[in-house]
Amino acid sequence: MPAITQTEAPVIEVSHVSTRFGEAVVHEDVSFTIHRGEVFAIAGGNGCGKSTLMREIVGLQAPTSGSTRLFGMDSRSLHDGQPQEIHRRFGVMFQQGALFSSLTLAENVAAPLKEHTKLGLDLIHDIVALKIVSVGLPADSAGKYPNELSGGMRRRAALARAIVMDPELLFLDEPTAGLDPIIAAGFDELVLQLRALLGLTVVMVTHDLDSLWRISDRVAVLGNGAILGIGTMQELSRSNDPVIREYFHGPRGRAVREQAVKRETHLEG
Amino acid sequence: MSPAVEWKQASIAVGRDEAVHCSGPWTLQHLPDLERVLATVSWPRLRGLIFDAGHITAMDTGGAVVLHRTVAQLRRQGREVSVEGLRAEFAELLRVVSANWDRVEAAPATKPNWVEQLSRWIVERARHAVAALGFIGESTVGVWQALKRPSLIRWRALLRSLELDGFNALPITGLLAFLIGVVISYQAAEQLRKFGTNIFVVDLVGISLLREISPLIVAILIAGRSGSTYAAQIGTMKVTEELDAVQTLGLSPTQLLVLPRVLALMLALPLLMVFADGLGVFGGMLVASNQLNVSFTEFVSRFEEAVAMRHFLIGIGKAPFFAIIIVLVGCYQGFQIRGGVDDVGRHTTTSVVQSIFLVIVFDALCSIVLRWWDL
């Protein structure tokens, strides 16, 4: 087994990444690092290249220049068709769920276990059943096919599949977009619980301001192809950058912020 | 064996003190080994068991599930089990796992028996039959309305369909018909030469092609070429909610999607068949002059007297019905798609298989009926 370095090297390093699609510049010289145990959010308006950046980090797309490293390994060398040690260490939840439509929910969740471990079917069944209820899906939905599930259920099933291996690192692409506020809040709770239990590092692409306030440790705001600001929500909300101000102090941002501040003062007092 | 080495493996063992010692990393990677060990453990005959879990160095959900299962199993046998010394974070994980496990167990096992499965299957079939009838009815009404008010017809869509499904199919149908004419003529040449009845190659090629083979070839080709496209196009529109959008605009999907295609193919298919007839006969003619010394002029003059007009008309007359079958089956399968994208592939295949099947069945029926009428 290759030695896994135990030093506190950053989990993810993005250095000088530029991305262009033809003439359109998506990113220009973007750099940041993400450390173990963080809930790191990538925020920004629609079409500012948040998801593209995440795809580059997990090696699904190559940046035009610059490099991204995952657990110290160049992302571009990640997918050569062979399941590798590193694939056990991170899980990805895609925006549309990306469940395998020909498999049942349980088979979907079981897929990583079957590919990466030599566990008995009996134990796999138990772990899968447990993960399904732990993301808040009813236990009897295990035999259903993805097209029989509602959008919110599909999203949670995708989360169950992403965490079934107990990865160290979890990527979430717009996890709460299109969910009702109760389920979205539940999702946030779930992410926090997973981090507490398993010591997860979470990288989350989102523009859900509620989520940003509730669970993110640090946020990088993308805009105009660059990182406009990076830091905690408190720090960012004091930023003078016009785009960030618009983002956090627009009518919606203000309401959420007031609530978040209220919540904190309530806790302190 | 030093403890350090021992702890690289997840392990469980009953010690001399009759306590159960758990140690090592209880993580997914090490669980297969652990399960093997677990199967061989002989539990002491005590009512109260103590799991000493202090040496568990790592634990993930999988490990917690194994520990929970083992403990639960022993408890079911009427023992009292306590887990001691587990690190706080692992104990929390175990607590969450057992809490969730109760919810797994609380769910009723739902495995339908065969009566239920059979009934479901029958109901599903019946539902399909009713839906198919409904679709045929709806399309008929659509055509009827369009005939009464031709302004309802989408001429652009009709012309587009005429181009895609008719005109663009010309090269492939022509080539295929030509080759079939060549093949038939070749096969006939062998036999006819034996009897010195070379000239009858004209009857054989002419009648079989015009009456049966070229209509069938064209219909099967178009079913594969266009029928599948109808199903895939309409299915994709359904998945992407385009059909719903069409309906909320107050338009009828039947009139928008089915009607132009039916009319276009009813027009295109006979024309394609005439084209195929011509090239098929031409292929036969080439082989006849080459292999059987039947010259072009001989061939054509024999053709006039041997091949009655009715053979040509019967062949062409089947075309509109083939067209209706192909379009209706393709569109119906498209409308049947629910939800997923893999459904699109499945229904597309079904549409091709079903329309070819129905085309051949219809052709066979025609043969029988026409025999009765001595045509």
Side-chain angles (χ1 to χ4, degrees), chain B residues 95-138:
Chain B
R95 194 190 59 73
V96 172
V97 163
S98 28
N100 281 327
W101 192 250
D102 294 340
R103 283 161 57 201
V104 173
E105 304 231 295
T110 48
K111 181 89 182 159
N113 60 10
W114 68 271
V115 179
E116 188 185 335
Q117 279 178 337
L118 182 68
S119 326
R120 277 182 192 283
W121 185 80
I122 293 171
V123 169
E124 184 70 6
R125 291 290 111 187
R127 197 188 64 76
H128 269 291
V130 171
L133 276 178
F135 180 72
I136 292 172
E138 209 175 309

Side-chain angles (χ1 to χ4, degrees), chain B residues 288-305:
Chain B
S289 75
N290 194 284
Q291 299 281 310
L292 292 166
N293 297 320
V294 178
S295 73
F296 283 9
T297 38
E298 275 176 295
F299 194 102
V300 172
S301 65
R302 171 71 194 164
F303 197 90
E304 275 178 53
E305 50 192 272

Side-chain angles (χ1 to χ4, degrees), chain B residues 148-159:
Chain B
K148 279 196 300 187
R149 275 179 59 200
S151 62
L152 285 176
I153 299 173
R154 309 255 155 189
W155 294 102
R156 276 184 76 91
L158 192 149
L159 289 175

